[in-house]
Amino acid sequence: MSRPAALSAAAAGVAALVAAWLLLQPEDVGQGAGLSMAETEALPKLREDFRMQNKSVFILGASGETGRVLLKEILEQGLFSKVTLIGRRRLTLDEEAYKNVNQEVVDFEKLDDYASAFQGHDVGFCCLGTTRKKAGAEGFVRVDRDYVLKSAELAKPGGCKHFNLLSSKGADKSSNFLYLQVKGEVEARVEELKFDRYSIFRPGVLLCDRQESRPGEWLVRKFFGSLPESWAQGQSVPVTTVVRAMLNNAVRPSDRKKELLDNKAIHDLGKADDSLKP
């Protein structure tokens, strides 16, 4: 078999596996309904009211694709008076727009020694995550469960009122798949900390152009690009849409202690502003 033919066969195989895996996942039970027109039209005013509160925010995982886009969107919208990145290394942020971003470098293996990094923030966004291929099974659990949970445990007494967790479609602590099991476990354990407001986002396959090369994900993106839009939207979502859903959700008041936004809710909330455009 020629190299192009082999690559094509491999792509088809990956696509089939992804499709089968997604179709076998149970539907998440979350807030799947779209915004009413009144709620959508209220978003600009809600953002302005939110800005006036001069809130502080921290982001975990700003070096990853979702965290990177989240940081950019937060700065463009000017929602917070103080923005802090918490990570294992300092990021190079040369653009003028990033000049007032604070960075706290921590050792995730000794997070108790860095409790001060988590103090004084009203809102927290956790986009931490790695892959089993990159970190191994043990390393994956360490990052996606242990680091996330410990960060939340420090953020709560540090003053964080609203904790936002990026999870995954199909997250279930009883799952036989390690990835979904870990995502479900950390969701449940963070809930036990009883934040004033706890928002969980369960997107499907994240569509983005990673700075880090992951050939398998490139094939998956190509696969979803070939599907009918209605089906693709049910199982995947652009990172930009996820980020905008996170922020649109953050600015709207809620009396719910826990919010679970599934892939459909993320699409609806993340694209709400589109209906306001002339």
Side-chain angles (χ1 to χ4, degrees):
M1 182 182 294
S2 67
R3 182 177 176 79
L7 287 173
S8 178
V14 170
L17 286 172
V18 170
W21 178 78
L22 287 168
L23 289 170
L24 288 171
Q25 298 310 305
E27 287 299 313
D28 291 324
V29 179
Q31 296 162 246
L35 292 178
S36 67
M37 181 54 68
E39 290 174 317
T40 300
E41 292 175 346
L43 278 173
K45 179 65 164 58
L46 289 175
R47 289 193 191 102
E48 189 56 37
D49 291 344
F50 192 88
R51 292 186 190 103
M52 296 297 290
Q53 297 175 52
N54 293 318
K55 292 189 175 185
S56 173
V57 65
F58 71 80
I59 303 174
L60 288 158
S63 62
E65 292 304 310
T66 305
R68 180 175 59 83
V69 177
L70 176 62
L71 172 60
K72 183 175 183 291
E73 194 73 22
I74 281 177
L75 295 176
E76 287 181 354
Q77 293 191 27
L79 294 175
F80 297 92
S81 61
K82 182 180 179 182
V83 179
T84 300
L85 311 182
I86 301 175
R88 60 184 177 82
R89 61 183 174 84
R90 202 171 171 80
L91 302 183
T92 301
L93 304 172
D94 294 330
E95 296 178 38
E96 181 70 13
Y98 296 89
K99 66 178 182 180
N100 293 322
V101 173
N102 303 288
Q103 296 199 55
E104 295 281 355
V105 177
V106 302
D107 182 347
F108 282 100
E109 293 294 329
K110 303 175 182 178
L111 266 187
D112 281 321
D113 295 342
Y114 300 88
S116 61
F118 294 87
Q119 292 178 355
H121 308 292
D122 303 291
V123 180
F125 289 97
C126 183
C127 304
L128 274 180
T130 187
T131 64
R132 186 170 180 172
K133 180 178 180 181
K134 183 177 179 180
E138 184 177 341
F140 164 70
V141 173
R142 194 80 174 141
V143 173
D144 283 56
R145 186 190 66 193
D146 300 345
Y147 289 177
V148 171
L149 180 60
K150 187 61 182 178
S151 296
E153 288 174 346
L154 293 173
K156 177 70 188 305
C160 181
K161 304 297 185 185
H162 184 189
F163 191 82
N164 298 267
L165 178 64
L166 180 64
S167 186
S168 171
K169 175 181 169 65
D172 180 356
K173 61 184 179 181
S174 301
S175 175
N176 291 323
F177 294 96
L178 179 65
Y179 180 82
L180 298 179
Q181 180 189 90
V182 167
K183 294 296 186 183
E185 282 181 6
V186 77
E187 283 185 8
R189 293 178 67 177
V190 171
E191 183 179 2
E192 292 172 1
L193 299 177
K194 300 188 182 303
F195 283 92
D196 288 3
R197 186 178 178 187
Y198 174 38
S199 302
I200 302 169
F201 297 84
R202 288 185 178 177
V205 174
L206 293 173
L207 304 179
C208 61
D209 293 318
R210 289 189 182 275
Q211 293 178 336
E212 173 188 357
S213 177
R214 294 182 182 177
E217 289 189 0
W218 180 85
L219 291 174
V220 169
R221 291 197 299 272
K222 291 297 182 183
F223 166 62
F224 279 107
S226 67
L227 293 174
E229 184 177 357
S230 59
W231 196 90
Q233 283 193 2
Q235 310 297 339
S236 63
V237 59
V239 164
T240 300
T241 301
V242 175
V243 163
R244 289 175 180 168
M246 285 178 153
L247 296 180
N248 284 345
N249 186 64
V251 301
R252 61 179 185 170
S254 175
D255 56 4
R256 291 191 177 102
K257 297 282 288 185
K258 174 187 174 183
E259 302 165 306
L260 198 164
L261 289 92
D262 61 17
N263 199 64
K264 183 182 185 307
I266 291 170
H267 267 284
D268 292 341
L269 193 52
K271 295 179 178 178
D273 291 286
D274 293 348
S275 63
L276 299 176
K277 296 176 181 177

